[in-house]
Amino acid sequence: MKTMFILMSHSLTPQQEEDARRRFGVERFEKLESAAWSQIPASADSVMPYLGDLMERLEKEAEAGDLLFVQGDFGATCAMVQWAFKKRLTPVYATTEREAVERAEGDRVVTTRVFRHIRFRVYERIV
């Protein structure tokens, strides 16, 4: 059963789930809960101390061909994408279109941005 492991700070939208099912044949979604992932301190010299538990869990649960949807801290994301390739997982990210709406409220203008899922894209592997 193909699984998408989700490593980001929020949940998938119904559109993202449908896209993953249709495009990649995903049958199961598994959110990787990690306080460390969402709170990597900007002052840290390295992100690696915050990734060990996640890598250990994926080592136990993921199978070659499963997907890892990873977005977050840039350095941590890069590290997890590299690790996923080594473990024969398929790392993906979401692409969106941003829609901005401005409205006047008295003497100020309020801008609302809505991000709409377009598709998942596989991270590129540069060798």
Side-chain angles (χ1 to χ4, degrees), residues 39-73:
Q39 297 182 16
I40 296 173
S43 60
D45 288 333
S46 172
V47 298
M48 295 311 291
Y50 302 91
L51 306 182
D53 289 345
L54 292 164
M55 291 175 178
E56 187 176 303
R57 181 170 173 200
L58 284 165
E59 190 78 51
K60 291 177 186 173
E61 296 181 27
E63 298 179 6
D66 283 343
L67 282 80
L68 177 62
F69 175 26
V70 56
Q71 291 184 185
D73 174 275

Side-chain angles (χ1 to χ4, degrees), residues 8 26-27 50 52 83 109 117:
M8 64 178 193
V26 171
E27 298 175 57
Y50 302 91
W83 184 86
V109 175
H117 178 76

Side-chain angles (χ1 to χ4, degrees), residues 46-118:
S46 172
V47 298
M48 295 311 291
Y50 302 91
L51 306 182
D53 289 345
L54 292 164
M55 291 175 178
E56 187 176 303
R57 181 170 173 200
L58 284 165
E59 190 78 51
K60 291 177 186 173
E61 296 181 27
E63 298 179 6
D66 283 343
L67 282 80
L68 177 62
F69 175 26
V70 56
Q71 291 184 185
D73 174 275
F74 186 73
T77 296
C78 287
M80 290 303 295
V81 166
Q82 291 175 55
W83 184 86
F85 279 128
K86 286 182 185 176
K87 298 299 178 179
R88 297 179 41 217
L89 302 176
T90 303
V92 299
Y93 62 99
T95 63
T96 61
E97 283 186 354
R98 180 175 61 179
E99 300 165 1
V101 177
E102 292 185 355
R103 68 181 184 286
E105 289 186 1
D107 61 346
R108 61 188 190 152
V109 175
V110 176
T111 302
T112 303
R113 290 181 179 83
V114 177
F115 293 87
R116 187 171 52 89
H117 178 76
I118 299 300

